[in-house]
Amino acid sequence: MEGHRTDIEAGGTVSAPCIREARVSADGDIRLALKAYQAELRAGRSLLGNQIGERASVVGGQAWAGVLIDLYSAGDENGIRTVLVAGLSPEKEKHMNKLRQQAMRTRTHILHLLEHFYLDKVDVGQIQNLINAATGPKRRLLATYANRLGEMVRIYQQLFAEYQQLQKKIDTENEAAEIRIHHVAHAGVVVRISGCERILDAPIYRR
């Protein structure tokens, strides 16, 4: 399989001797016999390249597997950047970052609204007292700010709850995540498991 325009998606397992500059995605496993070069590999379960009779390497590009990456080697002697990711999927990571950013923006909005009540945290009783003590246009304006504040707090709580639920699910999935390199991982290889990343600046050989 090779070529920039090669794009393969499978519901089960994909097996190939070589994958070059192509995108291959499988809901199950990707079985690689020899080499993947500057490819984008995405396996819902495992990327397997060190089975019986196989000594596969991933050189350049990016490989992601939901549970296991099992290879003979990764990268090359020239230090080509090769990214190996197990566990947290790019989509979930993107969604997590989006939720985090939305929550931060919402919290900033809440803090700005609290400034109108000279508060640094939500105090419903104090806010109500300030509204009751105000008169005329100021009272109406404070009531408007209070309504906006309530809406922002509800949004923040929803975002935070969704983030926690997703984080709990990811933590459970990541418990089994693993990357195995049986011969050598060269300098330039990026290893990321469950959100923890290490960039190799020297080759690591398994003896």
Side-chain angles (χ1 to χ4, degrees):
M1 302 177 186
E2 62 179 284
H4 290 293
R5 295 184 179 180
T6 303
D7 193 341
I8 296 174
E9 295 186 11
T13 296
V14 173
S15 299
C18 297
I19 302 173
R20 183 180 179 87
E21 298 179 342
R23 180 182 178 276
V24 179
S25 177
D27 291 342
D29 298 334
I30 295 178
R31 298 180 64 96
L32 184 65
L34 296 174
K35 184 177 183 178
Y37 178 77
Q38 293 290 24
E40 182 181 339
L41 309 177
R42 297 172 52 79
R45 187 167 53 241
S46 301
L47 170 60
L48 303 173
N50 194 65
Q51 307 306 296
I52 297 176
E54 298 174 346
R55 286 192 169 187
S57 61
V58 171
V59 180
Q62 177 170 313
W64 170 78
V67 179
L68 171 66
I69 293 179
D70 191 27
L71 300 169
Y72 183 69
S73 65
D76 66 6
E77 294 178 352
N78 296 320
I80 187 171
R81 180 178 171 84
T82 304
V83 181
L84 305 178
V85 183
L88 182 61
S89 71
E91 289 82 9
K92 285 183 180 178
E93 183 176 17
K94 184 177 180 180
H95 187 47
M96 287 282 287
N97 290 335
K98 183 179 179 180
L99 286 174
R100 188 183 299 112
Q101 290 169 2
Q102 288 176 330
M104 290 176 63
R105 286 196 297 268
T106 304
R107 185 175 182 276
T108 298
H109 197 175
I110 289 172
L111 292 175
H112 287 162
L113 287 169
L114 285 171
E115 290 177 358
H116 296 289
F117 300 95
Y118 306 101
L119 296 173
D120 56 8
K121 63 180 180 180
V122 176
D123 185 331
V124 176
Q126 182 62 17
I127 290 172
Q128 189 60 56
N129 289 338
L130 289 170
I131 293 173
N132 292 338
T135 58
K138 184 177 181 179
R139 181 171 185 171
R140 289 192 294 272
L141 187 60
L142 288 178
T144 299
Y145 289 144
N147 288 334
R148 289 180 184 173
L149 179 60
E151 182 181 350
M152 289 296 104
V153 169
R154 285 191 293 273
I155 292 173
Y156 181 82
Q157 290 172 337
Q158 291 170 358
L159 290 169
F160 188 71
E162 184 178 354
Y163 182 89
Q164 284 187 314
Q165 290 175 359
L166 185 57
Q167 184 66 65
K168 184 177 180 180
K169 182 178 180 181
I170 288 172
D171 289 344
T172 300
E173 294 174 351
N174 283 343
E175 288 180 359
E178 185 178 3
I179 295 177
R180 302 176 191 162
I181 307 296
H182 294 267
H183 176 52
V184 58
H186 290 278
V189 170
V190 179
V191 178
R192 190 182 305 143
I193 302 177
S194 305
C196 298
E197 180 176 288
R198 180 181 177 185
I199 303 174
L200 303 187
D201 55 9
I204 297 178
Y205 291 88
R206 181 172 181 179
R207 302 184 186 280

